[in-house]
Amino acid sequence: MQGEGMDRHEEMTQRIARLEDRLGRLEDIEEIQRLQRMYGYYIDNRLWPEMAALFADEGAAMEIGRRGRYTGKEHILPFLREVLGQGRDGLARNEFINHMQLQGVVTVDHSRQRAQGRWRALIQGSPPPGGTAMLWAEGVYENTYVRENGVWKIALLWWVPTFYVSHPGYESVSFASGPQSDSLPPQAPSVPPVAALGRSFPPFHYCHPVTGEEVVRVTSEP
């Protein structure tokens, strides 16, 4: 009888350990998905330092299309700012980037210290100043993540584009919705637009997942 009790205790202990491992992996996946989604919102607003801070302190790398692979956070930030951002942080007036990350699949390895993630990015972008053709692009991320000091970070961000295409018609884009109703007026006016952006912008409700700092500025102008 004592042996049976020991067997049941061991079985229960193993079952609890398996459940804890499953729960931990689900939490890992959610944290990684959250990390990648924040990356998408930061790149939408050309927040290069905030993006670079998402990368691992040791051995991080970034490869976008055929631009080559940049390794180390000390090289990733200059690449983001000078190559992708052409020397400018934040959005200019009437500029927009929509970086939609879809079909995410995250796989955490047995150690729960590394993971892989695959995402499909669908991108819209306003034209350069004076242009009239919007940018559309699509491609696939195959990323590696690592846990550093208990925090999930990007170890490798690798985006392989499928296509880029220019689409005419940007001159017809409007940055304002219809006005408030005169026949059924609202109880309060809408939040005013950001002057430097030319449209309204809902602020981030969350802090940076690595630095813990608030992100409050998204425009190139102060």
Side-chain angles (χ1 to χ4, degrees):
M1 294 294 292
Q2 185 177 2
E4 291 180 5
M6 292 292 290
D7 289 344
R8 286 196 296 271
H9 180 269
E10 181 65 24
E11 180 183 352
M12 184 63 67
T13 300
Q14 292 177 359
R15 182 180 180 185
I16 291 172
R18 288 193 299 269
L19 290 173
E20 287 179 340
D21 182 70
R22 288 177 61 186
L23 176 59
R25 289 179 183 278
L26 291 173
E27 291 176 338
D28 292 337
I29 290 171
E30 178 58 32
E31 287 182 31
I32 292 167
Q33 290 177 334
R34 184 177 173 86
L35 171 70
Q36 188 67 38
R37 291 167 187 152
M38 289 186 186
Y39 162 89
Y41 283 115
Y42 292 158
I43 195 172
D44 281 353
N45 295 284
R46 302 165 59 93
L47 300 176
W48 313 127
E50 288 80 0
M51 286 176 62
L54 299 175
F55 284 80
D57 295 331
E58 301 293 334
M62 184 175 200
E63 182 176 334
I64 301 292
R66 304 299 299 172
R67 293 182 173 92
R69 181 167 294 193
Y70 290 79
T71 58
K73 292 175 74 171
E74 72 276 14
H75 297 120
I76 289 172
L77 179 55
F79 165 71
L80 291 171
R81 176 174 283 146
E82 302 303 328
V83 179
L84 291 188
Q86 298 181 327
R88 176 168 58 86
D89 289 39
L91 294 173
R93 185 175 177 83
N94 293 340
E95 180 180 25
F96 65 84
I97 305 168
N98 295 323
H99 201 92
M100 294 165 279
Q101 299 174 104
L102 313 170
Q103 298 177 308
V105 178
V106 176
T107 305
V108 180
D109 77 1
H110 68 281
S111 70
R112 291 185 53 206
Q113 298 302 308
R114 295 182 69 84
Q116 298 290 128
R118 190 176 184 90
W119 311 82
R120 182 176 302 280
L122 183 62
I123 302 163
Q124 303 168 324
S126 55
T132 60
M134 288 176 54
L135 169 70
W136 285 79
E138 187 274 341
V140 172
Y141 283 105
E142 184 63 44
N143 296 344
T144 303
Y145 308 89
V146 63
R147 193 200 302 268
E148 279 187 346
N149 299 318
V151 178
W152 282 104
K153 300 179 184 179
I154 300 170
L156 169 64
L157 189 127
W158 179 28
W159 187 62
V160 179
T162 307
F163 69 81
Y164 296 90
V165 62
S166 294
H167 191 281
Y170 178 75
E171 65 277 5
S172 65
V173 168
S174 173
F175 291 94
S177 69
Q180 67 183 40
S181 172
D182 291 329
S183 60
L184 188 64
Q187 284 66 59
S190 298
V191 175
V194 178
L197 195 57
R199 54 186 167 86
S200 298
F201 180 83
F204 298 109
H205 72 269
Y206 50 82
C207 294
H208 193 281
V210 175
T211 67
E213 297 179 356
E214 286 188 283
V215 180
V216 297
R217 180 181 166 189
V218 297
T219 60
S220 296
E221 299 179 17

